[in-house]
Amino acid sequence: MPLPFLTADRAFDQAVDEALPFDDRDRWRRPYRPGPWRVGAAALLLLLASYVLVAAVIIAAAETPQAGALCFGAALLIIACTLRLLRVGIWVSARGVRQVGFFRTRTASWEPSVSVRTVQQPVRWLGLPRSVQGQALLLVRRDRVQEYVTPLMTSHNADFLARTEAFDRAADTIGAWAATYGRAA
């Protein structure tokens, strides 16, 4: 007796290209899944936060409550940094593309965009100063000099390291959003 509500592949029976009735194009969404490096780092930080929380309880019970509160505050800071780390990436909507960094967020509208393209160039490995040859997705705009365009995402960042197919799919998806909602080619 098949139980389709218990299988994981029942979602693949439906057409993928159909928009859902509650699908809101004005909502910011990430066109790809976070990579294993980013998720692994977040898991390790949450593990560290759990140890700090246990230490906060022990310190509050054995020592002064002020020291326990300080340790609890450090755990909350680790959790906040972990959540921000998971939020980092490229987000798209009908209004434009948003590049969320750890400390800074930049938003670009689709209208002044000329093209969204993938180029081969030296890129930073996991955001570190070391650069390697890889692919970068560029958003070229009319109001910017083309030589100073910063890449939206690269094939060697925490989301796409050793996942070239995922980078290609994400680049195609962002290009499709730009073609649909802007004047990008």
Side-chain angles (χ1 to χ4, degrees):
M1 171 171 115
L3 300 172
F5 59 89
L6 293 178
T7 61
D9 59 346
R10 70 179 167 101
F12 297 115
D13 296 338
Q14 302 167 355
V16 177
D17 293 333
E18 290 181 19
L20 298 173
F22 55 86
D23 198 15
D24 185 13
R25 297 291 182 178
D26 288 329
R27 201 175 128 221
W28 292 100
R29 65 188 69 228
R30 189 192 313 245
Y32 57 90
R33 293 181 181 164
W37 287 90
R38 187 174 311 281
V39 173
L44 288 176
L45 283 173
L46 286 176
L47 183 66
L48 174 67
S50 69
Y51 284 129
V52 174
L53 282 172
V54 169
V57 170
I58 293 171
I59 289 172
E63 299 271 330
T64 63
Q66 292 84 9
L70 182 67
C71 199
F72 182 74
L76 288 181
L77 180 68
I78 293 171
I79 292 171
C81 289
T82 303
L83 292 176
R84 185 63 183 176
L85 178 69
L86 288 174
R87 182 113 173 108
V88 169
I90 302 298
W91 297 76
V92 294
S93 77
R95 292 174 282 183
V97 61
R98 182 172 283 174
Q99 186 175 18
V100 177
F102 193 78
F103 295 111
R104 179 174 62 164
T105 299
R106 295 185 298 188
T107 304
S109 176
W110 292 123
E111 281 78 32
S113 301
V114 176
S115 67
V116 176
R117 61 180 178 206
T118 305
V119 295
Q120 289 282 335
Q121 69 179 27
V123 296
R124 292 171 45 175
W125 183 76
L126 289 177
L128 298 172
R130 177 182 174 203
S131 57
V132 295
Q133 190 65 25
Q135 293 181 356
L137 183 70
L138 302 178
L139 176 69
V140 181
R141 299 169 40 138
R142 277 190 287 278
D143 56 350
R144 301 286 167 113
V145 179
Q146 195 168 2
E147 288 83 29
Y148 300 111
V149 175
T150 58
L152 289 176
M153 61 184 188
T154 64
S155 60
H156 287 76
N157 66 8
D159 290 323
F160 302 111
L161 187 64
R163 297 176 55 213
T164 56
E165 299 87 17
F167 176 80
D168 293 337
R169 279 193 311 268
D172 291 342
T173 303
I174 293 172
W177 276 82
T180 302
Y181 294 105
R183 297 181 198 143

